[in-house]
Amino acid sequence: MSDSELSSLPFNERYFQDSSSNYHKIRNSALDNPETFWSNIAKELSWFRDWDEVLDWKLPFAKWFTGGKINASFNCLDRYMGSELKNKIAYIWEGENGDKRTLTYLQLFEQVNHFADALLKLGVKKGDRIAFYMPMVPEFPIAILAATRIGVTFTVVFSGFSASALADRINDSQAKLVITSDGGFRRGKILKLKDIVDEALDKTSSVEKVIVLKRADIEINMTENRDVWWHDSIKNTRDFVEPEQLESDHPLYILYTSGTTGKPKGVLHGTGGYLTYVYATTKWVFDIQNDDIYWCPADIGWVTGHSYFIFGPLLQGATSIMYEGAPDYPNPERLWEMIDKYKVSIFYFTPTGIRALMKHGDELPKKHNLNSLRLLGTVGEPINPAAWKWYYDVIGNKKCPIVDTWWQTETGGIMLSASPHLGLVSLKPGSATFPLPGIDADIVDEQGNSMKFGEKGFLVIKKPWPGMFLTLYNDSERYKQVYWEKFPGYYYPGDYAIRDHDGYFWLLGRADEVLNVAGHRLGTIEIEDAMVEHAAVAEAAVAGKPDEIKGESIVVFAILQKGNNPSTKLRVELRNHVRSVLGPVATPEEIYFVNMLPKTRSGKIMRRVVKAVASGKDIGDVTTLEDGASVDEIKRTIDEFRQSVED
Ligand code: PRX
């Protein structure tokens, strides 16, 4: 089919022409000469100073566009101020209670400048860290952009996390200032965010100031000389703050994510490389046109909110929807109603969200006109074919391609996905298709040898890419050890994958001790640590169990301290305890009291055994289970463990 024939087709049919050869051509040429490829993309952004070198690669540390000077807020806002784009709507915001606000790029620019000046006046400056604990309101992206304008590194803590999780992150980042609100609305209730911040600040010493946005209009404590209302902080501030000309690898943000130990990892992203990568991938994957209405409902507390709610869409000059509340509040048709109301054309959601809404049937989405949709996306976990089909048939009305995007907090942006912009390949439900241009992905065995098609192995990335994180904050040793030692020279994301006979990649879940609950990463050890913090618990082992909606749910086996007896009351108390330590996403689904835990001779918990018992599966090949123990010993241990669970 010729180009002119193609362009005469309705948009969505155009997507379904298999233009894989074009997509693959671009992918191959990018890999042949990655530095030229990435530098051509970086040139589409505005730099105060050009770079001297595209990539300074000292394995495993990459510096992109060294010598270049750039600013994130300048690229997201100032670039548009000389054109009509400044009057385009950047955000259409809807509160949970139906409140509505819109902000043009110009209005966003104005508010960002005032708030940047407010931050300066409160004494924060380039190189400092600040922390966010905020609901999904427009002031959240405003404040983030303001921080980037003056070169302050920010860290967002999801507002569902507990005071102790917030305190740990503030302590690790040594944040000088916290931005929060009195409260936030969630499912009709008010989350008292400021109270939680106060509790966290009792366990920290680095914070000098707290800026509090009035959102819920509730009674809160304001500590003298420390706490400042947002509306007071912006009084008498300047209309324009010169954006800092930052080195390309200036730290843009730290985002904490779970790993295989109890201590969360501070993933540190730079500026020039990250922005280039997020800019490119937003274009390739979402193909946002001038009249599109784009909606990624991810909370800014997750990396998806950073890359594809804030930076990516703003770098494309897009109009985005922002929603404050829960997707099923006041009822499970809220999202469909909003897609209809705002004529959303591109929608980027999660498999868990899709499954949760799917269980309410087809009638709810069918009550609304979803015809404005032209492209759908998913992120965070593998999508099962049934959910894919429902999303495709019922939400997309069989005309919207679905981009299944695989990536991580560490990768900064989407790594594997189909690309409507470059030419859409035929889609297979459940496959993220292929690596994007410039991404050298492979699947290898334990020794690092490439697997044949059809064989399960470990996903690796063999070349640096501009979106990759700089390191783990304050812990470059852990960075090296977790990501670069298993397969020397390759980045190891910790996921299993398989390639089918057409070369498509299928992601098969985590290969390490990390759970993926509703698209959120949680370390088993983090949950175990939270359990043993409770006085009644002596030891705990945690495993994931397949869950129809959330992908995985949390199962805990706990040994009680002497003097405590198993009871339903204690079970409820422990659930609430974990919830209050780690936040609602970490709430255990099931808690079993046991007399012993299966362990190796060296005292390590036999994770495969715990996992198999949690999901009611066969243990599999016990001979390859763990170090040192004989088959009989392991079998005996398993039997005892099972027995002890039944008791
Ligand atoms: O296991 C993969 C899964 O989510 C992990 C990354 O989690 P996080 O850093 O919290 O980022 C989530 C949002 C980017 C990965 O190691 N994952 C993410 N996307 C997919 C996925 N698994 C399968 N398919 C996906 N599309």
Side-chain angles (χ1 to χ4, degrees), residues 232-339:
D232 290 332
S233 77
I234 52 174
K235 280 184 189 150
N236 305 318
T237 48
R238 289 176 290 160
D239 295 340
F240 182 75
V241 171
E242 198 65 49
E244 283 278 348
Q245 304 197 2
L246 301 167
E247 304 73 29
S248 179
D249 65 343
H250 182 78
L252 184 67
Y253 67 82
I254 308 167
L255 186 55
Y256 289 87
T257 186
S258 296
T260 52
T261 72
K263 187 177 176 288
K265 301 181 286 194
V267 171
L268 181 70
H269 278 289
T271 307
Y274 173 81
L275 292 178
T276 301
Y277 195 66
V278 167
Y279 167 79
T281 50
T282 305
K283 183 154 135 182
W284 295 335
V285 176
F286 300 113
D287 191 31
I288 303 174
Q289 306 294 314
N290 195 33
D291 54 355
D292 271 316
I293 306 288
Y294 169 89
W295 191 11
C296 163
D299 192 283
I300 301 172
W302 313 112
V303 73
T304 310
H306 286 56
S307 298
Y308 299 108
F309 171 70
I310 298 188
F311 295 109
L314 294 177
L315 289 171
Q316 297 288 337
T319 298
S320 282
I321 303 291
M322 180 177 198
Y323 171 55
E324 179 184 34
D328 56 356
Y329 188 83
N331 57 50
E333 59 190 290
R334 182 71 187 250
L335 297 188
W336 318 133
E337 193 183 285
M338 285 180 61
I339 290 175

Side-chain angles (χ1 to χ4, degrees), residues 615-629:
S615 16
K617 279 196 194 141
D618 274 351
I619 309 297
D621 183 6
V622 286
T623 53
T624 59
L625 262 181
E626 309 283 343
D627 64 293

